[in-house]
Amino acid sequence: MPIDAPKPQRPRPRVWRLWPCLALLITLASSGLICRAQAPQAEQPQPEQTPAQRPRRVTPTDVLPEDNTEVYRVDTDLVLVDATVTDATGRPVRNLQAKDFKLYDDGIERPLAFFNVERRGGVKRPVAVVFALDVSGSMTGEEMTRLGNAMRAFSERLVDRDSVFAVMTFGMRVHVLQNFTGDERKLDHALARLAREENGLSTHTYDAVDDAIRLLTRDAPRTRERQLLKRAVVVVTDGFPVGDTVAPDTVIERANAADVSIYTVTLPSFSRLLASNETAHAPLPTPLDVSGLVEKTGGTNVYATDKDYEPLFHALAEEVTSSYVLAFYPPEEKRHDGRFHTLRIQAPSGLAVRQSRPGYQSTNSKQKAVGSERQN
């Protein structure tokens, strides 16, 4: 064969016949990739829209259980109110539910964001109580002894729950005899050390209550074992404050801010001597009565008319442990307008309601900005 003879050539594949197949494969592959890329977006749920009245959770501090599955947090925008409900005879009503209450903010009904009862899940609400005792010259030694026994009876009524007590005395000065304790022996020891202040020329009642509120704020957190703590001050006095450095309105404002209720026990005083025999069972109001300290903090005032104080303190213990807690989020425009807003709680017809605060004071925008800077 000649060297320059051409080599036999192989037939060329007919590529044009494969183009339709290749195009089909490319189309299917592209659509598959697109589907896989879009699939997670299609399956991802859209975030729920936050209701207008529900604010952003700012600096949560405590956890409050609503039930076994739902948890609320106390934040700077949540407004809490204690409410004690009584029937026509004055006895506490304990079996109400959230649906039985209506809460009005400046006359407008608001939905409840949180509702807490005295007993939840078989566990009773914990309590922190400060006993503030008048030991000025107007108190007799016999009254001091009977008061010690009555306060022991009060604490015994609360042994079925997590409870702590502090004891302070006041006359010309305020003294803390016992900080918060659940130890009965320590409480008995403090009550045994009650001593009458001889020649007391003043009775600093409002100063004592103010110190008690500070003590609760500092040493009795709002929650205890994941339950909302009931904070209370029980003041035992003759009802005639003298020489205070803190004004009643200031004490009320601080009590409202700390969710503290004030209860007073008014002992026999010269106000009874001013009343006639016909009105002996209706003592004249004392300056402490008319100050609004009790009414504006959700507490109650009782008069010690008998020598046996124990039944009186038993009933007072029932009052302290019978409150409901309602909470709501104010609308956005009210949270930081710097104004005072009124609150009113309504219970079913025929029942009376005492609430722990008449309203709430919102912070202004400047105060909020300063607080944010301090936190940062």
Short mmCIF file of all heavy atoms in Angstrom, two decimals, residues 76-99:
data_model
loop_
_atom_site.label_atom_id
_atom_site.label_comp_id
_atom_site.label_asym_id
_atom_site.label_seq_id
_atom_site.Cartn_x
_atom_site.Cartn_y
_atom_site.Cartn_z
N THR A 76 -40.23 45.16 82.52
CA THR A 76 -40.45 46.54 82.92
C THR A 76 -41.79 47.09 82.47
O THR A 76 -42.21 48.14 82.95
CB THR A 76 -39.33 47.43 82.34
OG1 THR A 76 -39.29 47.23 80.91
CG2 THR A 76 -38.00 47.06 82.94
N ASP A 77 -42.48 46.45 81.55
CA ASP A 77 -43.75 46.96 81.04
C ASP A 77 -44.96 46.25 81.64
O ASP A 77 -46.08 46.70 81.45
CB ASP A 77 -43.80 46.82 79.51
CG ASP A 77 -42.82 47.77 78.83
OD1 ASP A 77 -42.71 48.93 79.27
OD2 ASP A 77 -42.15 47.36 77.87
N LEU A 78 -44.77 45.13 82.31
CA LEU A 78 -45.89 44.38 82.87
C LEU A 78 -46.36 45.04 84.16
O LEU A 78 -45.57 45.32 85.06
CB LEU A 78 -45.46 42.94 83.15
CG LEU A 78 -46.56 41.97 83.57
CD1 LEU A 78 -47.54 41.72 82.43
CD2 LEU A 78 -45.94 40.65 84.02
N VAL A 79 -47.66 45.31 84.26
CA VAL A 79 -48.24 45.94 85.45
C VAL A 79 -49.00 44.87 86.23
O VAL A 79 -49.92 44.24 85.71
CB VAL A 79 -49.19 47.09 85.06
CG1 VAL A 79 -49.84 47.68 86.31
CG2 VAL A 79 -48.44 48.16 84.29
N LEU A 80 -48.61 44.66 87.50
CA LEU A 80 -49.25 43.66 88.36
C LEU A 80 -50.10 44.34 89.41
O LEU A 80 -49.74 45.40 89.94
CB LEU A 80 -48.20 42.78 89.04
CG LEU A 80 -47.31 41.93 88.13
CD1 LEU A 80 -45.94 42.55 88.02
CD2 LEU A 80 -47.21 40.52 88.66
N VAL A 81 -51.24 43.71 89.73
CA VAL A 81 -52.15 44.23 90.75
C VAL A 81 -52.63 43.06 91.60
O VAL A 81 -53.12 42.06 91.07
CB VAL A 81 -53.36 44.95 90.13
CG1 VAL A 81 -54.17 45.64 91.23
CG2 VAL A 81 -52.93 45.95 89.08
N ASP A 82 -52.50 43.19 92.91
CA ASP A 82 -53.10 42.22 93.83
C ASP A 82 -54.55 42.62 94.09
O ASP A 82 -54.85 43.80 94.25
CB ASP A 82 -52.34 42.20 95.16
CG ASP A 82 -51.24 41.15 95.17
OD1 ASP A 82 -50.64 40.96 94.10
OD2 ASP A 82 -50.98 40.57 96.23
N ALA A 83 -55.44 41.63 94.13
CA ALA A 83 -56.85 41.90 94.39
C ALA A 83 -57.37 40.93 95.42
O ALA A 83 -57.21 39.70 95.28
CB ALA A 83 -57.66 41.78 93.10
N THR A 84 -57.99 41.47 96.47
CA THR A 84 -58.65 40.66 97.49
C THR A 84 -60.15 40.81 97.33
O THR A 84 -60.66 41.93 97.30
CB THR A 84 -58.23 41.10 98.90
OG1 THR A 84 -56.81 41.00 99.03
CG2 THR A 84 -58.89 40.23 99.95
N VAL A 85 -60.85 39.69 97.22
CA VAL A 85 -62.30 39.70 96.97
C VAL A 85 -63.01 39.15 98.20
O VAL A 85 -62.63 38.10 98.73
CB VAL A 85 -62.65 38.86 95.73
CG1 VAL A 85 -64.15 38.92 95.45
CG2 VAL A 85 -61.86 39.33 94.52
N THR A 86 -64.03 39.88 98.66
CA THR A 86 -64.79 39.45 99.84
C THR A 86 -66.28 39.41 99.51
O THR A 86 -66.75 40.12 98.61
CB THR A 86 -64.55 40.39 101.02
OG1 THR A 86 -64.84 41.74 100.62
CG2 THR A 86 -63.11 40.32 101.49
N ASP A 87 -67.02 38.59 100.26
CA ASP A 87 -68.47 38.50 100.05
C ASP A 87 -69.18 39.51 100.94
O ASP A 87 -68.56 40.37 101.57
CB ASP A 87 -68.96 37.08 100.31
CG ASP A 87 -68.65 36.60 101.73
OD1 ASP A 87 -68.39 37.46 102.61
OD2 ASP A 87 -68.68 35.38 101.96
N ALA A 88 -70.51 39.40 101.00
CA ALA A 88 -71.30 40.38 101.75
C ALA A 88 -71.00 40.35 103.24
O ALA A 88 -71.22 41.35 103.94
CB ALA A 88 -72.79 40.12 101.51
N THR A 89 -70.50 39.23 103.75
CA THR A 89 -70.17 39.14 105.17
C THR A 89 -68.73 39.54 105.48
O THR A 89 -68.31 39.50 106.63
CB THR A 89 -70.41 37.70 105.67
OG1 THR A 89 -69.49 36.81 104.99
CG2 THR A 89 -71.84 37.26 105.40
N GLY A 90 -67.97 39.87 104.43
CA GLY A 90 -66.59 40.27 104.63
C GLY A 90 -65.60 39.13 104.57
O GLY A 90 -64.39 39.35 104.77
N ARG A 91 -66.05 37.92 104.28
CA ARG A 91 -65.15 36.77 104.22
C ARG A 91 -64.49 36.70 102.84
O ARG A 91 -65.13 36.97 101.82
CB ARG A 91 -65.90 35.47 104.50
CG ARG A 91 -66.46 35.39 105.91
CD ARG A 91 -67.13 34.04 106.14
NE ARG A 91 -66.18 32.94 105.98
CZ ARG A 91 -65.36 32.51 106.93
NH1 ARG A 91 -65.36 33.11 108.12
NH2 ARG A 91 -64.55 31.52 106.72
N PRO A 92 -63.20 36.32 102.78
CA PRO A 92 -62.50 36.23 101.50
C PRO A 92 -63.11 35.18 100.59
O PRO A 92 -63.57 34.12 101.04
CB PRO A 92 -61.08 35.83 101.91
CG PRO A 92 -60.95 36.23 103.34
CD PRO A 92 -62.31 36.05 103.93
N VAL A 93 -63.14 35.46 99.30
CA VAL A 93 -63.63 34.54 98.27
C VAL A 93 -62.42 34.02 97.51
O VAL A 93 -61.66 34.80 96.92
CB VAL A 93 -64.61 35.24 97.30
CG1 VAL A 93 -65.08 34.28 96.22
CG2 VAL A 93 -65.79 35.81 98.08
N ARG A 94 -62.23 32.70 97.50
CA ARG A 94 -60.99 32.13 96.97
C ARG A 94 -61.14 31.35 95.66
O ARG A 94 -60.14 30.95 95.08
CB ARG A 94 -60.39 31.17 98.01
CG ARG A 94 -60.01 31.83 99.33
CD ARG A 94 -59.56 30.77 100.33
NE ARG A 94 -59.13 31.32 101.61
CZ ARG A 94 -57.89 31.67 101.90
NH1 ARG A 94 -56.95 31.53 100.99
NH2 ARG A 94 -57.58 32.14 103.09
N ASN A 95 -62.35 31.08 95.20
CA ASN A 95 -62.53 30.13 94.08
C ASN A 95 -62.79 30.81 92.75
O ASN A 95 -63.39 30.21 91.85
CB ASN A 95 -63.68 29.18 94.41
CG ASN A 95 -64.99 29.93 94.68
OD1 ASN A 95 -64.99 31.15 94.79
ND2 ASN A 95 -66.08 29.19 94.80
N LEU A 96 -62.36 32.04 92.57
CA LEU A 96 -62.60 32.74 91.31
C LEU A 96 -61.55 32.39 90.27
O LEU A 96 -60.43 31.96 90.60
CB LEU A 96 -62.63 34.25 91.54
CG LEU A 96 -63.71 34.77 92.49
CD1 LEU A 96 -63.60 36.27 92.64
CD2 LEU A 96 -65.10 34.38 92.00
N GLN A 97 -61.91 32.58 89.00
CA GLN A 97 -61.01 32.32 87.88
C GLN A 97 -60.78 33.61 87.11
O GLN A 97 -61.42 34.63 87.36
CB GLN A 97 -61.60 31.24 86.97
CG GLN A 97 -61.89 29.93 87.67
CD GLN A 97 -62.56 28.92 86.76
OE1 GLN A 97 -62.60 29.09 85.55
NE2 GLN A 97 -63.10 27.86 87.35
N ALA A 98 -59.86 33.55 86.15
CA ALA A 98 -59.52 34.75 85.38
C ALA A 98 -60.74 35.32 84.66
O ALA A 98 -60.89 36.54 84.55
CB ALA A 98 -58.41 34.42 84.38
N LYS A 99 -61.62 34.46 84.19
CA LYS A 99 -62.80 34.92 83.45
C LYS A 99 -63.77 35.71 84.34
O LYS A 99 -64.66 36.39 83.82
CB LYS A 99 -63.52 33.74 82.82
CG LYS A 99 -64.07 32.74 83.83
CD LYS A 99 -64.75 31.56 83.15
CE LYS A 99 -65.31 30.57 84.18
NZ LYS A 99 -65.96 29.42 83.53
#
